[in-house]
Amino acid sequence: MSLFRKLWQRIRSITLKQVGLAIITIVLVGLGFFGILYGWDYTNSSPFCGTACHTMPPHYDSFLRSPHARVQCVECHIGRTFVGVAFTRKANDAQYVINYVTQNYTFPIYAKGMQPARESCEKCHWPDKFAWDKVITLTNFALDVKNTPVQTTLVLKTGGGTQREGLGKGIHWHTQSDIEFAYTEDQKQEIPQITVVNADGTKKVYTDVSTKLTPDQIAKLPTRRMDCIDCHNRVSHNFLSPDEAMNTSLTNKQIDATIPEIKKQGVQVLTPTYPTVAAANKAIADLETFYKQNYADYYNKNTATIKTAITQIQTWYPQLHYPEQGLDWTVHPNDLGHKDWPGCFRCHDGKHLTQDTKEAIRLECNVCHTIPEVTTPGGPAPALSLANVVEPDSHKTTTWLAEHRTTFSTTCQACHDTNNAGGKDNSSFCSNSACHGITWKYAGLNAPELAKSLSIPVAPKSNPNAVPMQIPHPVGGNPDCQLCHGPQSKVRPYPADHAGRTNDMCQACHKPSVPTASTTPAPGTGTASAPAGGPPPIPHDIAGRTACLGCHGTGIVGVPQVLQFHKDYGFTNDKCLTCHKVGNPSPSATPQPGGTPAPTAAAPAAGGPPALTADHNGRTICLGCHANNIGPKLPADHTGRTDDTCRACHKQQ
């Protein structure tokens, strides 16, 4: 009781002045506490990071346009961690404030000391989650009058997941595996050596065979364990090029793609660095004069459309150029992809080999995505296989890209066609413009360094006494050897001393070493007109019959149809007689149109198919009469033929 009595006496002795001082102290401490909390929160906000310092506006602008616009800057640059750890990291960043005040910095600004992805990206993006394949379509508008849209469609093999579940594959295999690389500069664009630690603890080291660094110098380089940021390094601060900016506006229909040359003109006016934004706007506004002078009719009818395009292009310029900071799309490397920057090709370049040079880091396109399908207006829709097909063992070797044009077998025919092989007209698997139609700056798709290190087969020197080389693939019924071996071919052109030789001379010396596939046409009769092993002979006369595909390429029942590879190569009527010759059919051969017996050696052809009489002019429904016993009856071998095939043989008088 004495304790409570003393406490009560102490409370009764407190004066109003002391109470007032206590209240003021509590309020001040509370205000100070909340002020500290507010200051901590405000200095962690993106607006503070992006606008309080005049060196940051370009990065803040790009951040606001990024997929992470609602993620605070500190969540990546400091990391999502315990407040005490975050406080110490932020205190360490006070050096940047000092550098800003003392102007101890240089342009352009680069981020330094980024936190590992496991303390930022992986707090939201769970690496153990498997991501299924994703179909994407990229649209690029050509620099031509029509701004022709060219779409490239492919399937990204994103992958990921945990290896214990049998996953851990695809693109995200890189984040699920223990990969360490050495780099020569802060942007990590030159990687002379990569070490992969396997699940069993063994290591595999790949070294750039073209590097000039010694092993001792490589050993002293800084190293880093690969994570998300090594590919997605511009995920929140990407600076578009003029070409990308125009593609974006045309794809989103902010600029009308029907304006002649608008892609080309837009890129041209957005590329230079002007003294001021006002000067840039004036140069862009001059596009209106260009269209008045060069496309007057279009301008007069679409003046508003052109002015809208000019306004849109003007909004792009200050987002592409920051001249006061020496910053544009050429400054910061973007490692997602491998076209404008090395990106994936920093490692997958065909130059990183094991010490014994027997294994390389794979360079094949379909390691991370399917072979791109390129489509243009009026062309066929892309045909993408979403099934995980079983690849031949040859495709799984790490040096396949260097070998794929020199290795032949019958298995190739099951999946691929080779029309215009090495070309870029998208007419076949081997003429893909997404591969051959692009100049790859950072990696040769022919893997030149691999070719130097491996024993890639090459054609022997010409020797008149040497046995002619065998043909390492089936020939079948296609004698057009120069499709792949002509003087301009990118597959294996014939030697210079073969100039002037024609297709019919090839097999006089060169014989196939691979058996003919089961789909190859039946061999000929062994006569002069149809040599044994050649294309099948024509069993009927050809007088007046010039449109062969009218019967043999339209699915008519009872008539032999052209093989698939004829369609793949785009063979037309004028090519048929190059290979197929009129044979010597027996008198019992297929009847001819109009009931005329088939020609024989003793009874030559009698004029060919009968012509249409003058009174048939304008009649197009042939089967309406001749299939219904009106007039001459349709011969038995014409069963299944349609009206549109009749005039292929029967001509008007």
Side-chain angles (χ1 to χ4, degrees):
M1 293 296 293
S2 60
L3 179 62
F4 289 107
R5 188 179 298 111
K6 289 179 181 181
L7 180 60
W8 173 247
Q9 290 175 351
R10 176 58 182 155
I11 293 174
R12 291 183 63 187
S13 67
I14 296 175
T15 65
L16 291 175
K17 182 177 180 180
Q18 290 174 326
V19 172
L21 288 174
I23 293 174
I24 293 173
T25 300
I26 293 172
V27 171
L28 290 177
V29 171
L31 290 174
F33 177 74
F34 285 108
I36 292 173
L37 291 180
Y38 176 80
W40 173 261
D41 187 66
Y42 173 67
T43 55
N44 284 342
S45 69
S46 296
F48 172 81
C49 297
T51 61
C53 173
H54 77 272
T55 63
M56 288 295 105
H59 305 278
Y60 187 58
D61 289 346
S62 62
F63 162 76
L64 293 177
R65 299 192 300 269
S66 78
H68 288 136
R70 291 196 174 186
V71 177
Q72 299 292 342
C73 302
V74 294
E75 294 184 68
C76 292
H77 291 270
I78 291 181
R80 286 186 171 184
T81 184
F82 172 61
V83 65
V85 176
F87 180 81
T88 58
R89 290 177 179 174
K90 193 166 185 177
N92 182 62
D93 288 345
Q95 60 180 308
Y96 300 124
V97 178
I98 297 173
N99 291 340
Y100 172 67
V101 173
T102 60
Q103 296 188 352
N104 183 26
Y105 57 84
T106 57
F107 289 124
I109 300 293
Y110 292 94
K112 298 179 180 179
M114 290 289 293
Q115 300 304 315
R118 58 182 175 273
E119 295 189 18
S120 53
C121 310
E122 294 181 12
K123 297 294 184 179
C124 293
H125 305 281
W126 189 33
D128 287 349
K129 177 184 178 296
F130 184 80
W132 297 104
D133 294 351
K134 178 182 180 181
V135 179
I136 65 169
T137 299
L138 307 175
T139 302
N140 177 63
F141 291 83
L143 301 175
D144 57 14
V145 175
K146 294 183 178 180
N147 311 300
T148 304
V150 179
Q151 293 186 324
T152 303
T153 305
L154 47 80
V155 179
L156 287 179
K157 302 176 182 179
T158 309
T162 58
Q163 293 184 359
R164 67 175 179 269
E165 296 174 346
L167 301 174
K169 55 188 177 182
I171 299 171
H172 285 172
W173 168 86
H174 296 82
T175 63
Q176 290 295 88
S177 303
D178 188 354
I179 305 171
E180 188 177 81
F181 62 89
Y183 55 93
T184 61
E185 33 72 51
D186 290 340
Q187 299 305 306
K188 304 176 183 63
Q189 296 302 292
E190 295 182 6
I191 299 178
Q193 192 171 84
I194 301 102
T195 302
V196 178
V197 180
N198 300 315
D200 59 3
T202 59
K203 294 184 178 180
K204 189 167 291 185
V205 179
Y206 301 90
T207 304
D208 184 348
V209 295
S210 67
T211 184
K212 297 180 181 179
L213 299 176
T214 65
D216 289 340
Q217 290 173 322
I218 293 177
K220 295 177 181 178
L221 292 174
T223 60
R224 169 182 169 85
R225 177 170 178 172
M226 188 174 185
D227 66 19
C228 311
I229 301 300
D230 291 304
C231 292
H232 298 275
N233 65 321
R234 306 308 305 172
V235 69
S236 295
H237 302 287
N238 192 18
F239 297 95
L240 300 182
S241 68
D243 188 83
E244 292 171 323
M246 290 300 298
N247 281 338
T248 298
S249 291
L250 289 166
T251 300
N252 296 339
K253 302 188 184 303
Q254 295 168 315
I255 295 178
D256 193 334
T258 64
I259 303 175
E261 287 190 60
I262 191 61
K263 167 71 181 294
K264 178 180 179 181
Q265 296 302 319
V267 170
Q268 287 181 350
V269 295
L270 284 175
T271 300
T273 299
Y274 300 95
T276 63
V277 173
N281 288 338
K282 183 180 182 304
I284 297 170
D286 288 342
L287 285 177
E288 187 172 0
T289 303
F290 170 82
Y291 283 100
K292 286 181 181 178
Q293 295 176 348
N294 295 277
Y295 297 96
D297 290 343
Y298 183 90
Y299 176 82
N300 292 333
K301 297 177 182 178
N302 301 276
T303 304
T305 301
I306 292 176
K307 289 185 176 181
T308 298
I310 290 173
T311 301
Q312 180 64 27
I313 296 172
Q314 288 174 332
T315 62
W316 270 117
Y317 181 81
Q319 299 178 38
L320 307 182
H321 294 266
Y322 300 90
E324 70 281 1
Q325 297 189 353
L327 178 60
D328 60 21
W329 64 93
T330 65
V331 171
H332 292 290
N334 186 344
D335 293 325
L336 189 65
H338 45 64
K339 183 179 178 182
D340 298 323
W341 296 94
C344 309
F345 286 163
R346 292 174 296 165
C347 303
H348 297 267
D349 56 358
K351 298 188 298 180
H352 285 79
L353 278 69
T354 53
Q355 187 174 3
D356 59 7
T357 69
K358 292 183 178 179
E359 186 173 341
I361 294 179
R362 293 186 68 177
L363 176 57
E364 289 78 47
C365 308
N366 59 351
V367 172
C368 293
H369 57 75
T370 58
I371 301 299
E373 290 284 344
V374 180
T375 56
T376 54
L384 295 175
S385 174
L386 301 181
N388 291 320
V389 296
V390 178
E391 292 182 297
D393 290 338
S394 60
H395 290 45
K396 299 176 184 178
T397 64
T398 63
T399 55
W400 176 243
L401 192 66
E403 302 164 349
H404 79 283
R405 59 178 55 77
T406 60
T407 302
F408 298 94
S409 72
T410 55
T411 60
C412 303
Q413 295 177 318
C415 302
H416 311 303
D417 59 89
T418 58
N419 185 35
N420 191 25
K424 53 184 180 180
D425 61 1
N426 302 307
S427 62
S428 71
F429 179 89
C430 292
S431 63
N432 195 322
S433 65
C435 300
H436 306 127
I438 297 175
T439 300
W440 297 100
K441 181 178 180 181
Y442 301 100
L445 290 188
N446 59 346
E449 293 298 335
L450 284 180
K452 295 178 183 178
S453 303
L454 304 172
S455 299
I456 304 298
V458 295
K461 292 183 178 180
S462 178
N463 180 355
N465 298 318
V467 177
M469 293 179 61
Q470 289 186 313
I471 302 172
H473 57 77
V475 174
N478 174 23
D480 195 351
C481 307
Q482 297 194 39
L483 283 173
C484 293
H485 306 293
Q488 304 302 321
S489 170
K490 297 181 180 179
V491 180
R492 186 177 284 247
Y494 59 59
D497 62 354
H498 282 44
R501 301 188 187 184
T502 55
N503 288 315
D504 58 347
M505 300 173 62
C506 298
Q507 294 187 60
C509 300
H510 304 283
K511 304 299 180 183
S513 62
V514 180
T516 300
S518 60
T519 56
T520 302
T525 61
T527 65
S529 59
I538 301 172
H540 56 74
D541 72 281
I542 57 174
R545 301 183 180 186
T546 56
C548 308
L549 299 179
C551 291
H552 300 288
T554 54
I556 294 177
V557 177
V559 178
Q561 297 297 298
V562 296
L563 299 177
Q564 182 59 43
F565 82 88
H566 286 52
K567 300 177 182 178
D568 294 339
Y569 279 99
F571 289 156
T572 52
N573 290 309
D574 59 334
K575 297 287 182 64
C576 299
L577 298 181
T578 302
C579 306
H580 303 279
K581 309 298 182 183
V582 177
N584 293 318
S586 65
S588 61
T590 304
Q592 302 303 296
T596 304
T600 64
L612 301 178
T613 59
D615 63 346
H616 279 50
N617 187 30
R619 300 187 185 184
T620 57
I621 312 299
C622 308
L623 300 181
C625 293
H626 300 289
N628 293 293
N629 297 321
I630 300 175
K633 185 178 179 180
L634 200 69
D637 67 329
H638 282 43
T639 301
R641 303 191 185 187
T642 56
D643 290 314
D644 58 345
T645 61
C646 296
R647 292 180 183 274
C649 298
H650 303 280
K651 306 300 182 181
Q652 190 73 46
Q653 286 183 349

